[in-house]
Amino acid sequence: MPKNKYIFVVDDDPSVRISMKRLLREHGFSALLFESANALLEHGGLDDAICAILDVNLQDHSGIDLRRRLTD
């Protein structure tokens, strides 16, 4: 049985995270929400992601730095 795949949403604004989850669900996608870059990195499970939506201005890292870290 195939494993569920998710869109990872990383944003430090709770209202943005919830809005993105609702929008993605309306289009048939499942989302996992993270409040920080560190939360995503601690979660791991990157093989479960279809893609990641990253806020550029995170409090603990920039989204650009996080993207670089994920692709190294």
Side-chain angles (χ1 to χ4, degrees):
M1 178 178 288
K3 218 174 162 184
N4 285 341
K5 294 287 186 172
Y6 300 94
I7 294 177
F8 289 177
V9 178
V10 183
D11 199 299
D12 50 8
D13 184 335
S15 63
V16 171
R17 288 194 308 269
I18 297 300
S19 296
M20 288 298 297
K21 184 173 185 167
R22 288 180 183 154
L23 176 67
L24 292 166
R25 184 177 55 224
E26 287 293 318
H27 292 279
F29 295 100
S30 297
L32 286 180
L33 308 178
F34 301 93
E35 69 277 357
S36 67
N38 287 335
L40 172 63
L41 294 171
E42 288 174 9
H43 170 75
L46 298 175
D47 291 337
D48 295 338
I50 298 169
C51 70
I53 299 172
L54 309 174
D55 183 8
V56 172
N57 294 314
L58 295 167
Q59 290 180 357
D60 60 347
H61 290 90
S62 83
I64 295 167
D65 290 339
L66 175 58
R67 189 212 53 87
R68 287 183 184 132
R69 210 167 156 189
L70 293 173
T71 59
D72 283 343

Coordinates of all heavy atoms in Angstrom, one line a residue:
M1 N 0.8 -1.2 0.0 CA 0.0 0.0 0.0 C 0.9 1.2 0.0 O 1.8 1.4 0.8 CB -0.9 0.0 1.2 CG -1.8 1.2 1.4 SD -2.9 1.1 2.8 CE -4.0 -0.1 2.3
P2 N 0.7 2.2 -0.9 CA 1.5 3.4 -1.0 C 1.3 4.3 0.3 O 0.2 4.4 0.8 CB 1.0 4.1 -2.2 CG -0.3 3.6 -2.6 CD -0.4 2.2 -1.9
K3 N 2.4 4.9 0.7 CA 2.4 5.8 1.8 C 1.8 7.1 1.4 O 2.0 7.6 0.3 CB 3.9 5.9 2.3 CG 4.0 6.0 3.7 CD 5.5 6.0 4.1 CE 5.7 6.5 5.5 NZ 7.1 6.7 5.8
N4 N 1.2 7.8 2.4 CA 0.6 9.1 2.1 C 1.8 10.1 1.9 O 2.8 10.0 2.5 CB -0.2 9.6 3.2 CG -1.6 9.0 3.3 OD1 -2.0 8.4 2.3 ND2 -2.2 9.1 4.4
K5 N 1.6 11.0 0.9 CA 2.6 12.1 0.7 C 1.9 13.4 1.1 O 0.7 13.6 1.0 CB 3.0 12.1 -0.8 CG 3.7 10.9 -1.3 CD 5.1 10.9 -0.7 CE 5.9 9.7 -1.3 NZ 7.3 9.8 -0.9
Y6 N 2.8 14.3 1.6 CA 2.3 15.6 2.1 C 3.0 16.7 1.4 O 4.1 16.6 1.0 CB 2.6 15.6 3.6 CG 1.9 14.5 4.4 CD1 2.6 13.4 4.7 CD2 0.6 14.7 4.8 CE1 1.9 12.4 5.4 CE2 0.0 13.7 5.6 CZ 0.6 12.5 5.9 OH 0.0 11.6 6.6
I7 N 2.4 17.9 1.5 CA 3.0 19.1 1.3 C 3.4 19.7 2.6 O 2.5 19.8 3.5 CB 2.1 20.1 0.5 CG1 1.8 19.5 -0.9 CG2 2.8 21.5 0.4 CD1 0.9 20.4 -1.7
F8 N 4.7 20.0 2.8 CA 5.1 20.5 4.1 C 5.0 22.1 4.0 O 5.5 22.7 3.0 CB 6.6 20.2 4.4 CG 6.8 18.7 4.7 CD1 8.1 18.2 4.9 CD2 5.8 17.8 4.9 CE1 8.3 16.9 5.3 CE2 6.0 16.5 5.2 CZ 7.3 16.0 5.4
V9 N 4.4 22.7 5.0 CA 4.3 24.1 5.0 C 5.0 24.6 6.3 O 4.7 24.2 7.4 CB 2.8 24.5 5.1 CG1 2.6 26.0 5.3 CG2 2.0 24.0 3.9
V10 N 6.0 25.5 6.0 CA 6.8 26.0 7.1 C 6.6 27.5 7.1 O 7.0 28.3 6.2 CB 8.3 25.7 6.9 CG1 9.1 26.3 8.1 CG2 8.5 24.2 6.7
D11 N 5.9 28.0 8.2 CA 5.6 29.4 8.4 C 5.5 29.7 9.8 O 4.9 29.0 10.6 CB 4.4 29.8 7.6 CG 4.3 31.3 7.3 OD1 4.3 32.1 8.3 OD2 4.3 31.7 6.2
D12 N 6.0 30.8 10.3 CA 5.9 31.2 11.7 C 4.6 31.9 12.1 O 4.4 32.1 13.3 CB 7.2 32.0 12.2 CG 7.5 33.2 11.3 OD1 6.7 33.5 10.4 OD2 8.5 33.8 11.5
D13 N 3.8 32.2 11.1 CA 2.5 32.8 11.3 C 1.4 31.7 11.4 O 1.1 31.1 10.3 CB 2.2 33.8 10.3 CG 1.0 34.6 10.4 OD1 0.0 34.1 11.1 OD2 0.9 35.7 9.9
P14 N 0.8 31.5 12.5 CA -0.2 30.4 12.6 C -1.4 30.6 11.6 O -1.9 29.6 11.1 CB -0.7 30.5 14.0 CG 0.2 31.4 14.8 CD 1.0 32.2 13.8
S15 N -1.8 31.8 11.4 CA -2.9 32.0 10.5 C -2.6 31.7 9.0 O -3.4 31.1 8.3 CB -3.4 33.5 10.6 OG -2.5 34.4 10.1
V16 N -1.3 31.9 8.6 CA -0.9 31.5 7.3 C -0.9 30.0 7.2 O -1.3 29.4 6.2 CB 0.5 32.1 7.0 CG1 1.0 31.6 5.7 CG2 0.4 33.6 6.9
R17 N -0.3 29.3 8.2 CA -0.3 27.9 8.2 C -1.7 27.3 8.0 O -1.9 26.4 7.2 CB 0.4 27.3 9.5 CG 1.9 27.5 9.5 CD 2.5 26.7 10.6 NE 1.9 26.8 11.9 CZ 2.3 27.7 12.9 NH1 3.3 28.6 12.6 NH2 1.7 27.7 14.0
I18 N -2.6 27.7 8.8 CA -4.0 27.2 8.8 C -4.6 27.5 7.4 O -5.3 26.6 6.9 CB -4.8 27.8 9.9 CG1 -4.2 27.3 11.3 CG2 -6.3 27.3 9.8 CD1 -4.2 25.8 11.5
S19 N -4.4 28.7 6.9 CA -5.0 29.1 5.6 C -4.4 28.2 4.5 O -5.2 27.7 3.6 CB -4.7 30.5 5.3 OG -5.4 31.4 6.3
M20 N -3.1 28.0 4.6 CA -2.5 27.1 3.5 C -3.0 25.7 3.6 O -3.3 25.1 2.6 CB -1.0 27.1 3.7 CG -0.3 28.4 3.3 SD -0.5 28.8 1.6 CE 0.3 27.5 0.8
K21 N -3.2 25.2 4.8 CA -3.7 23.8 5.0 C -5.1 23.7 4.4 O -5.4 22.8 3.7 CB -3.7 23.4 6.5 CG -4.2 22.0 6.7 CD -4.0 21.6 8.1 CE -4.4 20.1 8.2 NZ -3.9 19.5 9.5
R22 N -6.0 24.7 4.7 CA -7.3 24.7 4.1 C -7.3 24.8 2.6 O -8.1 24.0 1.9 CB -8.1 25.9 4.7 CG -8.5 25.7 6.1 CD -9.3 26.8 6.7 NE -9.6 26.7 8.1 CZ -9.8 27.7 8.9 NH1 -9.7 28.9 8.5 NH2 -10.0 27.4 10.2
L23 N -6.5 25.6 2.1 CA -6.4 25.8 0.6 C -6.0 24.5 0.0 O -6.5 24.0 -1.0 CB -5.5 26.9 0.3 CG -5.2 27.2 -1.2 CD1 -6.5 27.6 -1.9 CD2 -4.1 28.2 -1.4
L24 N -4.9 23.9 0.5 CA -4.4 22.7 -0.1 C -5.4 21.5 0.1 O -5.6 20.7 -0.9 CB -3.1 22.3 0.6 CG -1.9 23.2 0.3 CD1 -0.8 23.0 1.3 CD2 -1.5 23.1 -1.1
R25 N -6.1 21.4 1.2 CA -7.1 20.4 1.4 C -8.2 20.6 0.3 O -8.7 19.6 -0.2 CB -7.7 20.5 2.8 CG -8.7 19.3 3.1 CD -9.2 19.3 4.5 NE -9.8 20.6 4.8 CZ -9.5 21.3 6.0 NH1 -8.8 20.8 6.9 NH2 -10.1 22.5 6.2
E26 N -8.6 21.8 0.0 CA -9.7 22.1 -1.0 C -9.3 21.6 -2.3 O -10.1 21.2 -3.2 CB -10.0 23.6 -1.1 CG -10.8 24.1 0.1 CD -12.2 23.6 0.1 OE1 -12.8 23.5 -0.9 OE2 -12.6 23.2 1.2
H27 N -8.0 21.5 -2.6 CA -7.5 21.0 -3.9 C -7.0 19.5 -3.8 O -6.3 19.1 -4.7 CB -6.4 21.9 -4.4 CG -6.9 23.3 -4.8 ND1 -7.5 23.5 -6.0 CD2 -7.0 24.4 -4.1 CE1 -7.9 24.8 -6.0 NE2 -7.6 25.3 -4.9
G28 N -7.3 18.8 -2.7 CA -7.1 17.4 -2.6 C -5.7 17.0 -2.1 O -5.3 15.9 -2.2
F29 N -5.0 18.0 -1.5 CA -3.7 17.7 -0.9 C -3.7 17.6 0.6 O -4.5 18.3 1.3 CB -2.6 18.7 -1.3 CG -2.4 18.8 -2.8 CD1 -3.0 19.8 -3.6 CD2 -1.5 17.9 -3.4 CE1 -2.8 19.8 -4.9 CE2 -1.3 18.0 -4.8 CZ -2.0 18.9 -5.5
S30 N -2.8 16.8 1.2 CA -2.6 16.7 2.6 C -1.4 17.6 3.0 O -0.4 17.6 2.2 CB -2.4 15.3 3.1 OG -3.5 14.5 2.8
A31 N -1.5 18.3 4.1 CA -0.4 19.2 4.5 C 0.1 18.9 5.9 O -0.8 18.5 6.7 CB -0.8 20.6 4.4
L32 N 1.3 18.9 6.1 CA 1.9 18.9 7.4 C 2.4 20.3 7.7 O 3.2 20.9 6.9 CB 3.0 17.9 7.6 CG 2.6 16.4 7.6 CD1 3.8 15.5 7.7 CD2 1.7 16.2 8.7
L33 N 2.1 20.9 8.9 CA 2.5 22.2 9.2 C 3.6 22.3 10.2 O 3.6 21.5 11.2 CB 1.2 22.9 9.8 CG 0.0 22.9 9.0 CD1 -1.2 23.6 9.7 CD2 0.2 23.4 7.6
F34 N 4.5 23.2 10.0 CA 5.6 23.4 10.9 C 5.8 24.9 11.2 O 5.7 25.7 10.3 CB 6.9 22.9 10.3 CG 6.8 21.4 9.9 CD1 6.4 21.0 8.7 CD2 7.1 20.5 10.9 CE1 6.3 19.7 8.4 CE2 7.0 19.1 10.6 CZ 6.6 18.7 9.3
E35 N 6.0 25.3 12.5 CA 6.1 26.7 12.9 C 7.5 27.2 12.7 O 7.7 28.4 12.9 CB 5.6 26.9 14.3 CG 6.5 26.3 15.4 CD 6.3 24.8 15.6 OE1 5.4 24.2 15.0 OE2 7.1 24.2 16.4
S36 N 8.5 26.4 12.4 CA 9.9 26.9 12.3 C 10.7 25.9 11.4 O 10.3 24.8 11.2 CB 10.5 27.0 13.7 OG 10.7 25.7 14.2
A37 N 11.8 26.4 11.0 CA 12.8 25.5 10.3 C 13.2 24.4 11.2 O 13.3 23.3 10.7 CB 14.0 26.4 9.8
N38 N 13.5 24.7 12.4 CA 14.0 23.7 13.3 C 12.9 22.6 13.5 O 13.2 21.4 13.6 CB 14.4 24.3 14.7 CG 15.7 25.0 14.6 OD1 16.5 24.7 13.8 ND2 15.8 26.0 15.5
A39 N 11.6 23.0 13.6 CA 10.6 22.0 13.7 C 10.5 21.0 12.5 O 10.4 19.8 12.7 CB 9.2 22.7 13.9
L40 N 10.7 21.5 11.3 CA 10.8 20.7 10.2 C 12.0 19.8 10.2 O 11.9 18.6 10.0 CB 10.8 21.5 8.9 CG 11.1 20.7 7.6 CD1 9.9 19.7 7.3 CD2 11.2 21.6 6.4
L41 N 13.1 20.3 10.5 CA 14.4 19.5 10.6 C 14.3 18.4 11.7 O 14.8 17.3 11.4 CB 15.6 20.4 10.8 CG 15.9 21.4 9.6 CD1 16.9 22.4 10.0 CD2 16.2 20.7 8.4
E42 N 13.7 18.7 12.8 CA 13.5 17.7 13.9 C 12.6 16.7 13.5 O 12.7 15.5 13.8 CB 13.1 18.4 15.1 CG 14.2 19.2 15.8 CD 13.7 20.0 17.0 OE1 12.5 19.8 17.5 OE2 14.5 20.9 17.5
H43 N 11.5 17.0 12.7 CA 10.5 16.0 12.2 C 11.2 15.0 11.3 O 10.9 13.8 11.4 CB 9.4 16.8 11.5 CG 8.4 15.8 10.8 ND1 7.5 15.1 11.5 CD2 8.3 15.5 9.5 CE1 6.8 14.3 10.6 NE2 7.3 14.6 9.4
G44 N 12.0 15.5 10.4 CA 12.6 14.6 9.4 C 11.5 14.2 8.4 O 10.7 15.0 8.1
G45 N 11.6 12.9 8.0 CA 10.5 12.4 7.1 C 10.4 13.1 5.8 O 9.3 13.2 5.3
L46 N 11.5 13.6 5.3 CA 11.5 14.4 4.1 C 11.0 13.6 2.9 O 10.6 14.1 1.9 CB 12.8 15.1 3.8 CG 13.2 16.1 4.9 CD1 14.6 16.7 4.6 CD2 12.2 17.3 5.0
D47 N 11.2 12.3 3.0 CA 10.8 11.4 1.9 C 9.2 11.4 1.8 O 8.7 10.9 0.8 CB 11.3 10.0 2.1 CG 12.8 9.9 1.9 OD1 13.4 10.8 1.2 OD2 13.4 9.0 2.4
D48 N 8.5 11.8 2.8 CA 7.1 11.9 2.8 C 6.5 13.1 2.2 O 5.3 13.3 2.1 CB 6.5 11.8 4.3 CG 6.9 10.5 4.9 OD1 7.1 9.5 4.2 OD2 6.9 10.4 6.2
A49 N 7.4 14.0 1.7 CA 7.0 15.3 1.1 C 6.9 15.2 -0.4 O 7.8 14.7 -1.1 CB 7.9 16.4 1.6
I50 N 5.8 15.8 -0.9 CA 5.7 16.0 -2.4 C 6.5 17.3 -2.7 O 7.3 17.3 -3.6 CB 4.2 16.3 -2.8 CG1 3.4 15.1 -2.5 CG2 4.2 16.7 -4.2 CD1 1.9 15.3 -2.6
C51 N 6.4 18.3 -1.8 CA 7.1 19.5 -1.9 C 7.0 20.3 -0.6 O 6.3 19.8 0.4 CB 6.6 20.4 -3.0 SG 5.0 21.1 -2.7
A52 N 7.7 21.4 -0.4 CA 7.7 22.2 0.8 C 7.4 23.6 0.4 O 8.0 24.1 -0.6 CB 9.0 22.1 1.6
I53 N 6.5 24.3 1.1 CA 6.2 25.7 1.0 C 6.9 26.4 2.2 O 6.6 26.1 3.3 CB 4.7 26.0 0.9 CG1 4.1 25.2 -0.2 CG2 4.5 27.5 0.9 CD1 2.6 25.3 -0.2
L54 N 7.9 27.2 1.9 CA 8.7 27.8 2.9 C 8.5 29.3 3.0 O 8.6 30.0 1.9 CB 10.2 27.5 2.7 CG 10.6 26.1 2.4 CD1 12.0 26.0 2.1 CD2 10.3 25.3 3.7
D55 N 8.3 29.9 4.2 CA 8.2 31.3 4.4 C 9.7 31.8 4.2 O 10.6 31.2 4.7 CB 7.7 31.6 5.8 CG 7.6 33.1 6.1 OD1 7.7 33.9 5.2 OD2 7.3 33.4 7.3
V56 N 9.9 32.9 3.5 CA 11.2 33.4 3.3 C 11.8 34.0 4.7 O 12.9 33.9 5.0 CB 11.2 34.5 2.2 CG1 12.6 35.2 2.1 CG2 10.9 33.9 0.9
N57 N 10.9 34.7 5.5 CA 11.3 35.3 6.7 C 10.9 34.6 7.9 O 10.0 35.0 8.7 CB 10.8 36.8 6.7 CG 11.4 37.6 5.6 OD1 12.6 37.6 5.4 ND2 10.5 38.4 4.9
L58 N 11.5 33.4 8.2 CA 11.2 32.7 9.4 C 12.0 33.3 10.5 O 13.1 33.9 10.3 CB 11.6 31.2 9.2 CG 10.9 30.4 8.2 CD1 11.6 29.1 7.9 CD2 9.4 30.2 8.7
Q59 N 11.5 33.1 11.7 CA 12.2 33.7 12.9 C 13.5 33.1 13.2 O 14.5 33.7 13.6 CB 11.3 33.7 14.1 CG 10.1 34.6 14.0 CD 9.2 34.5 15.2 OE1 9.4 33.7 16.1 NE2 8.2 35.4 15.2
D60 N 13.6 31.7 13.0 CA 14.8 31.0 13.4 C 15.8 30.9 12.2 O 17.0 30.7 12.5 CB 14.5 29.7 14.0 CG 13.7 28.7 13.1 OD1 13.2 29.2 12.1 OD2 13.7 27.5 13.4
H61 N 15.4 30.9 11.0 CA 16.2 30.8 9.8 C 15.5 31.5 8.7 O 14.3 31.8 8.8 CB 16.4 29.4 9.4 CG 17.2 28.5 10.3 ND1 16.7 27.8 11.3 CD2 18.6 28.3 10.3 CE1 17.7 27.2 11.9 NE2 18.8 27.4 11.3
S62 N 16.2 31.8 7.6 CA 15.4 32.2 6.4 C 15.0 31.0 5.6 O 15.6 29.9 5.7 CB 16.3 33.1 5.5 OG 17.1 32.4 4.7
G63 N 13.9 31.1 5.0 CA 13.4 30.0 4.1 C 14.4 29.7 3.0 O 14.5 28.5 2.7
I64 N 15.1 30.6 2.6 CA 16.1 30.4 1.5 C 17.3 29.5 2.1 O 17.7 28.5 1.5 CB 16.7 31.7 1.0 CG1 15.6 32.4 0.2 CG2 17.9 31.5 0.1 CD1 15.9 33.9 -0.1
D65 N 17.7 29.8 3.3 CA 18.8 29.0 4.0 C 18.2 27.6 4.3 O 19.0 26.6 4.1 CB 19.2 29.7 5.3 CG 20.0 30.9 5.0 OD1 20.6 31.1 3.9 OD2 20.1 31.7 6.0
L66 N 17.0 27.5 4.7 CA 16.4 26.2 4.9 C 16.4 25.4 3.6 O 16.7 24.2 3.6 CB 15.0 26.3 5.5 CG 14.2 25.1 5.7 CD1 15.0 24.1 6.6 CD2 12.8 25.4 6.3
R67 N 16.0 26.0 2.5 CA 15.9 25.3 1.3 C 17.3 24.7 0.9 O 17.5 23.6 0.5 CB 15.4 26.1 0.1 CG 15.2 25.3 -1.1 CD 15.4 26.1 -2.4 NE 16.6 26.7 -2.6 CZ 17.8 26.2 -3.1 NH1 17.8 24.9 -3.4 NH2 18.8 26.9 -3.2
R68 N 18.3 25.6 1.1 CA 19.7 25.2 0.8 C 20.1 24.0 1.7 O 20.7 23.0 1.2 CB 20.7 26.3 1.0 CG 20.6 27.3 -0.1 CD 21.6 28.5 0.1 NE 21.4 29.5 -0.9 CZ 21.4 30.8 -0.6 NH1 21.5 31.2 0.6 NH2 21.2 31.6 -1.6
R69 N 19.7 24.1 2.9 CA 20.1 23.0 3.9 C 19.4 21.7 3.5 O 19.9 20.6 3.6 CB 19.6 23.4 5.3 CG 20.4 22.9 6.3 CD 20.2 23.6 7.6 NE 20.6 22.6 8.7 CZ 20.3 22.8 9.9 NH1 19.7 23.8 10.3 NH2 20.7 21.9 10.8
L70 N 18.1 21.8 3.0 CA 17.4 20.6 2.6 C 18.0 19.9 1.4 O 17.8 18.7 1.2 CB 15.9 20.9 2.4 CG 15.1 21.3 3.7 CD1 13.8 21.8 3.3 CD2 15.1 20.2 4.7
T71 N 18.6 20.7 0.5 CA 19.1 20.1 -0.7 C 20.6 19.7 -0.7 O 21.1 19.2 -1.6 CB 18.9 21.1 -1.9 OG1 19.5 22.3 -1.6 CG2 17.4 21.3 -2.1
D72 N 21.2 20.0 0.5 CA 22.7 19.6 0.6 C 22.8 18.2 0.8 O 22.0 17.5 1.3 CB 23.3 20.4 1.7 CG 23.6 21.8 1.3 OD1 23.6 22.1 0.1 OD2 23.9 22.6 2.2

